Amino acid sequence: EQGSTVSITVVGASGDLAKKKIFPALFALFYEGCLPQHFTIFGYARSKMSDAELRAMISATLTCRIDKRENCSEKINQFLKRCFYQSGQYNSEDNFSELDKKLKDHEGGKVANRMFYLSVPPNVFIDVARCASRSASSSKGWTRVIVEKPFGRDSESSGELTSGLKEFLTEEQIYRIDHYLGKELVENLSILRFSNLVFEPLWSRQYIRNVQLIFSEDFGTEGRGGYFDNYGIIRDIMQNHLLQILALFAMEPPVSLDAEDIRNEKVKVLRSMRKLQLEDVVVGQYKSHIKGGVHYPGYTDDKTVPNNSLTPTFAAAALFVDNARWDGVPFLMKAGKALHNKLAEIRVQFRHVPGNLYKRSFGMDLDQATNELVIRVQPDEAVYLKINNKVPGLGMRLDRSNLNLLYSDRYSREIPDAYERLLLDAIEGERRLFIRSDELDAAWAIFTPLLKELEERKISPELYPYGSRGPVGAHYLAAKYNVRWGDMS
Ligand code: BG6
């Protein structure tokens, strides 16, 4: 709008997330012409820095899909001119009023919309929310605050955080990011399902025998051990990223694409889920390994991790949605660090064709060769469907083949970073991809009893070598439900 301005204040501007994700995403949005005409970016952090130093920091760390292009230095300069810095404590209303004054100068009396990205540790979320909401209460536009996990460690601490934030902000002002929801292929999940007749009618227990949500990284927690040891892989990946995908996957058709309609359906799925049981979980932790003469450190070799830490860096779990659509269908999750590959995917294994004519023939175990739909979130984004096909020739031999939609072959457009989509949505007030507080409560309710039990009973994780395929226990867990991990076959 002509008469309004948007300011985006990145609180915790010198941190890793800000440098690696937030500033680059803001620049990409600027480059693409998606930011409003009148916008200003402020970095806020404790260290003293000048505007010039902030700009130097941003340009030195700007690595996004755009800045690889030639001729973008002009755009970078234009962008940097809109970036400013204010130093201050996270709990100081005085420092935030100094920021407020500077913001007002930039806003020039226009309707002032203010967004605060809290790229700071969760123990200062509430302080920042208090200071930011006071300073912004004088502006006539909207105020929105983006927060990112960890949202507590369990139901109780998450509840405290939510009520703390709500002392200063309304639910509508709080944007809880789960960056997996901003990923292109996760966004595509609903389109694939709801707009294709070959999928939509099959989306239930009647035709789907299991769903697998797989996350693996080929690097450890190096440098993040301090954060990670307090959370572990279940809180870091499963309770949020994988569970959010599950909720989107399993929800009933929403009344419309409106944010509230979608989130209403997601929360229903989460509330229909069984609390995770210890016997349905396998936990692991990576140990050091020497490969090709290179020594890969174990999790507890990290100086910031206690030697006797039991924190899982790998987990596999079987979850269940106890409703009419999904009764009895296992949703298997697997997430791990320091594994042999980097991958995030959704796998849908379909049931057998009843009375399959080809069941006993032609050199294939049709029991395993059921159709499988794979949505590869990253890397090499793709959607493919495993089908059974006749090998050409006079004989009669069956073969498993893929109907393959590989994004890099099909589309020449680049895939935007998740943070670009999410920041743009937050600026536009689109809440569809952000987590509502009742969703968060329901998500914690599924995992909290298990997390407590793991800690109270001091369950030892199964050790696996750095760079391996993870604990063998994950296979036994899947086998218990007559499932084979699709990424292993
Ligand atoms: C973060 C986790 O939420 O997601 C990290 O805290 C993890 O541990 C990261 O590495 C993975 O995100 P992406 O987008 O790189 O797959």
Side-chain angles (χ1 to χ4, degrees):
E1 277 174 55
Q2 285 296 321
S4 68
T5 63
V6 173
S7 65
I8 301 156
T9 303
V10 182
V11 185
S14 42
D16 235 29
L17 178 71
K19 283 195 266 193
K20 285 196 187 134
K21 292 292 183 186
I22 305 170
F23 290 120
L26 287 169
F27 170 65
L29 290 175
F30 172 71
Y31 184 96
E32 302 272 14
C34 295
L35 290 185
Q37 193 189 350
H38 301 290
F39 80 93
T40 314
I41 292 173
F42 262 85
Y44 184 102
R46 286 173 304 186
S47 36
K48 293 261 180 275
M49 224 196 279
S50 63
D51 292 344
E53 283 165 325
L54 174 80
R55 290 169 188 172
M57 183 197 88
I58 297 175
S59 68
T61 53
L62 203 59
T63 46
C64 64
R65 63 192 171 93
I66 306 284
D67 58 61
K68 291 184 197 71
R69 294 184 193 170
E70 292 159 22
N71 75 14
C72 89
S73 56
E74 175 57 18
K75 280 278 184 191
I76 293 182
N77 286 335
Q78 288 169 13
F79 175 75
L80 292 175
K81 280 192 199 136
R82 317 278 283 262
C83 297
F84 303 88
Y85 186 75
Q86 169 68 40
S87 78
Q89 298 299 316
Y90 296 132
N91 59 359
S92 161
E93 287 186 24
D94 290 345
N95 293 156
F96 272 87
S97 347
E98 291 162 31
L99 171 71
D100 182 54
K101 277 197 212 95
K102 287 194 185 168
L103 285 171
K104 284 214 171 78
D105 288 345
H106 286 274
E107 288 157 358
K110 295 192 169 68
V111 173
N113 299 310
R114 293 181 177 183
M115 194 163 93
F116 294 87
Y117 198 121
L118 271 49
S119 178
V120 286
N123 60 345
V124 296
F125 278 178
I126 298 175
D127 281 332
V128 178
R130 172 172 51 85
C131 298
S133 66
R134 299 246 161 98
S135 99
S137 57
S138 53
S139 73
K140 278 181 273 143
W142 48 254
T143 298
R144 294 178 189 145
V145 173
I146 302 182
V147 283
E148 182 148 7
K149 79 164 185 8
F151 306 123
R153 293 185 80 249
D154 50 24
S155 294
E156 202 187 349
S157 48
S158 164
E160 281 165 15
L161 182 60
T162 301
S163 48
L165 288 174
K166 285 191 180 171
E167 271 184 49
F168 308 104
L169 302 164
T170 62
E171 175 67 22
E172 287 64 41
Q173 291 179 303
I174 306 173
Y175 284 66
R176 295 179 193 82
I177 274 203
D178 183 309
H179 80 283
Y180 266 63
L181 291 182
K183 296 203 183 247
E184 187 64 42
L185 277 271
V186 176
E187 171 91 329
N188 189 43
L189 186 55
S190 296
I191 291 108
L192 205 61
R193 171 182 173 192
F194 290 122
S195 70
N196 287 295
L197 189 73
V198 292
F199 295 130
E200 202 283 331
L202 305 187
W203 224 257
S204 74
R205 66 188 299 277
Q206 204 179 346
Y207 300 109
I208 291 179
R209 62 173 177 169
N210 69 76
V211 181
Q212 304 178 12
L213 304 157
I214 298 170
F215 168 97
S216 82
E217 278 179 341
D218 54 4
F219 48 90
T221 57
E222 297 94 344
R224 289 177 77 225
Y227 149 80
F228 193 86
D229 202 61
N230 194 23
Y231 292 92
I233 199 80
I234 298 177
R235 294 183 178 92
D236 191 46
I237 304 291
M238 281 191 171
Q239 181 270 353
N240 33 77
H241 303 328
L242 297 188
L243 188 64
Q244 282 297 320
I245 297 177
L246 189 157
L248 267 182
F249 181 96
M251 70 183 179
E252 293 301 309
V255 176
S256 77
L257 294 176
D258 181 78
E260 296 320 314
D261 287 335
I262 293 175
R263 298 191 299 179
N264 286 344
E265 295 309 328
K266 280 170 64 198
V267 80
K268 280 189 220 161
V269 172
L270 297 171
R271 291 181 52 209
S272 309
M273 287 180 66
R274 214 178 284 170
K275 293 191 177 21
L276 186 54
Q277 306 288 313
L278 191 56
E279 62 265 26
D280 279 334
V281 178
V282 169
V283 287
Q285 189 187 80
Y286 65 90
K287 58 178 183 182
S288 65
H289 185 56
I290 298 175
K291 199 173 166 189
V294 183
H295 176 261
Y296 294 92
Y299 175 66
T300 53
D301 294 338
D302 185 330
K303 297 273 174 295
T304 54
V305 171
N307 282 339
N308 57 355
S309 170
L310 297 178
T311 301
T313 58
F314 173 99
L319 294 124
F320 293 89
V321 182
D322 287 333
N323 65 12
R325 185 183 289 271
W326 298 112
D327 191 8
V329 177
F331 285 80
L332 290 160
M333 284 184 183
K334 190 165 68 164
K337 303 239 170 211
L339 293 171
H340 75 294
N341 65 354
K342 180 164 167 49
L343 179 77
E345 63 184 17
I346 307 163
R347 287 181 170 259
V348 189
Q349 295 186 345
F350 291 91
R351 292 193 186 279
H352 308 271
V353 174
N356 193 333
L357 285 172
Y358 294 91
K359 194 167 166 114
R360 266 184 301 281
S361 52
F362 318 119
M364 262 185 90
D365 177 5
L366 281 185
D367 188 45
Q368 288 306 327
T370 57
N371 295 128
E372 184 169 357
L373 173 67
V374 184
I375 298 166
R376 192 159 62 220
V377 176
Q378 65 188 33
D380 303 327
E381 291 80 353
V383 179
Y384 59 97
L385 182 64
K386 290 185 182 250
I387 58 160
N388 298 314
N389 203 49
K390 180 179 169 299
V391 178
L394 297 177
M396 176 58 86
R397 224 162 42 81
L398 301 194
D399 172 37
R400 272 200 116 189
S401 300
N402 289 344
L403 298 179
N404 200 355
L405 169 59
L406 186 62
Y407 273 44
S408 59
D409 286 350
R410 177 74 182 92
Y411 302 109
S412 53
R413 286 187 72 98
E414 295 156 329
I415 296 181
D417 188 77
Y419 284 88
E420 293 175 39
R421 182 188 318 278
L422 293 166
L423 279 163
L424 183 59
D425 278 1
I427 293 168
E428 291 180 344
E430 167 60 78
R431 271 186 278 274
R432 191 166 44 94
L433 300 179
F434 295 87
I435 317 294
R436 214 165 59 185
S437 71
D438 54 349
E439 281 185 80
L440 183 61
D441 293 347
W444 276 120
I446 299 162
F447 285 92
T448 293
L450 175 270
L451 288 164
K452 290 225 158 97
E453 204 176 342
L454 279 174
E455 281 166 13
E456 275 160 20
R457 292 176 51 181
K458 299 196 174 11
I459 304 287
S460 295
E462 192 179 324
L463 298 178
Y464 61 95
Y466 194 120
S468 68
R469 288 171 172 258
V472 74
H475 294 280
Y476 294 122
L477 176 66
K480 182 172 143 189
Y481 292 102
N482 203 13
V483 176
R484 266 200 218 176
W485 292 104
D487 63 324
M488 296 289 189
S489 51

